[in-house]
Amino acid sequence: MVRRLLIGLWLILLVVSLHDVSRRTQAASRRSHPLLEAVPLSQLDPRIIDVLTLGHRGVYDDFLAVWLVQMVTDPQLLQADPNQLHGILQTALRQQPKLESVYMLACFVMTFDLRHPEFCESYATEGMKALPQSWRLPATAGYVAAFRIRDPDKASLYYTLAAGQPGAPDYFKSFGAKLATRAELTGAEREQAMKELIIRVPGSVDGPGLGGWRMKQQEGP
């Protein structure tokens, strides 16, 4: 009896949430929801989400990812309040979805579009908790620390951490060592570091890797 009630509750919540997503995809001129809106259920304890999804946590992770991607790729995002967006992203990512690209996209959008690179570290940290063997997440934090925040010590720490994960590029070790001496990475090294992040990201919600995400913005000053 209890199981049937839980299934019924989960289906109702899922249908309502998906209905909200469909309405958010309407043209901006007919938007019935504000741009910055928290992901449904994201403020709940992750353990409650586990119960509501009856062991199919990936369903909610996918839903959360789609919701966030629709939000951060909206053309009106540049007029959004960065602090409000940060609060929504931080709350959602505390659910620790098992999708590398969600954390990376949050970092890229906040860093390059909204010019608040200081928020990236908190997203990457949540991602590393969810995916402890990921090398792309510490490398993302390392890239932002090196080239946007200009903190070579922190950048060195993250590149060294990334280098120790399975499948990490060998040259991340030299990146970490070079930054530890406060030497700057060359333009070629910088380009290589970014391209490594955006190509073939497992679990991406936007095609291969992070798709056609605005590479020119990433390489800008």
Side-chain angles (χ1 to χ4, degrees):
M1 183 65 178
V2 174
R3 182 178 176 82
R4 289 181 180 177
L5 288 174
L6 287 173
I7 292 174
L9 176 60
W10 177 71
L11 289 175
I12 290 171
L13 290 171
L14 185 60
V15 169
V16 170
S17 297
L18 290 176
H19 177 64
D20 282 343
V21 170
S22 67
R23 290 200 291 170
R24 286 168 59 86
T25 59
Q26 295 177 1
S29 61
R30 295 179 295 161
R31 184 184 301 280
S32 59
H33 282 254
L35 171 61
L36 299 184
E37 189 173 8
V39 181
L41 311 181
S42 62
Q43 295 181 339
L44 295 178
D45 187 303
R47 292 171 295 183
I48 296 177
I49 301 295
D50 292 340
V51 172
L52 291 175
T53 56
L54 302 175
H56 298 282
R57 179 54 189 256
V59 173
Y60 182 75
D61 288 354
D62 290 342
F63 166 71
L64 181 148
V66 170
W67 185 283
L68 291 183
V69 168
Q70 289 189 38
M71 180 187 298
V72 301
T73 58
D74 191 294
Q76 296 187 39
L77 188 72
L78 294 178
Q79 284 74 53
D81 178 353
N83 290 300
Q84 185 181 0
L85 176 60
H86 172 59
I88 291 172
L89 291 172
Q90 197 169 40
T91 297
L93 296 180
R94 282 175 182 156
Q95 292 292 336
Q96 297 183 8
K98 307 293 187 182
L99 295 166
E100 273 187 327
S101 54
V102 175
Y103 305 96
M104 294 171 67
L105 184 59
C107 270
F108 290 160
V109 167
M110 191 62 79
T111 298
F112 299 105
D113 290 347
L114 295 182
R115 308 293 179 179
H116 279 273
E118 70 274 13
F119 293 143
C120 174
E121 185 175 14
S122 66
Y123 310 148
T125 298
E126 289 297 334
M128 286 185 278
K129 292 177 186 175
L131 300 161
Q133 291 192 316
S134 168
W135 60 261
R136 287 184 177 86
L137 294 174
T140 298
Y143 184 93
V144 172
F147 300 114
R148 293 295 168 158
I149 299 178
R150 306 294 181 183
D151 186 337
D153 292 334
K154 185 169 287 186
S156 173
L157 185 153
Y158 279 117
Y159 271 119
T160 301
L161 179 60
Q165 303 307 317
D170 292 337
Y171 56 82
F172 277 2
K173 293 180 182 178
S174 65
F175 280 12
K178 191 172 183 179
L179 288 163
T181 65
R182 296 185 175 272
E184 291 191 9
L185 300 182
T186 66
E189 289 172 329
R190 171 177 177 161
E191 182 178 357
Q192 184 180 32
M194 176 52 72
K195 286 183 177 179
E196 198 74 57
L197 292 177
I198 67 173
I199 296 174
R200 295 184 298 277
V201 181
S204 173
V205 292
D206 186 25
L210 287 170
W213 197 77
R214 298 172 286 280
M215 185 69 181
K216 289 183 180 180
Q217 289 189 10
Q218 296 171 23
E219 293 180 345

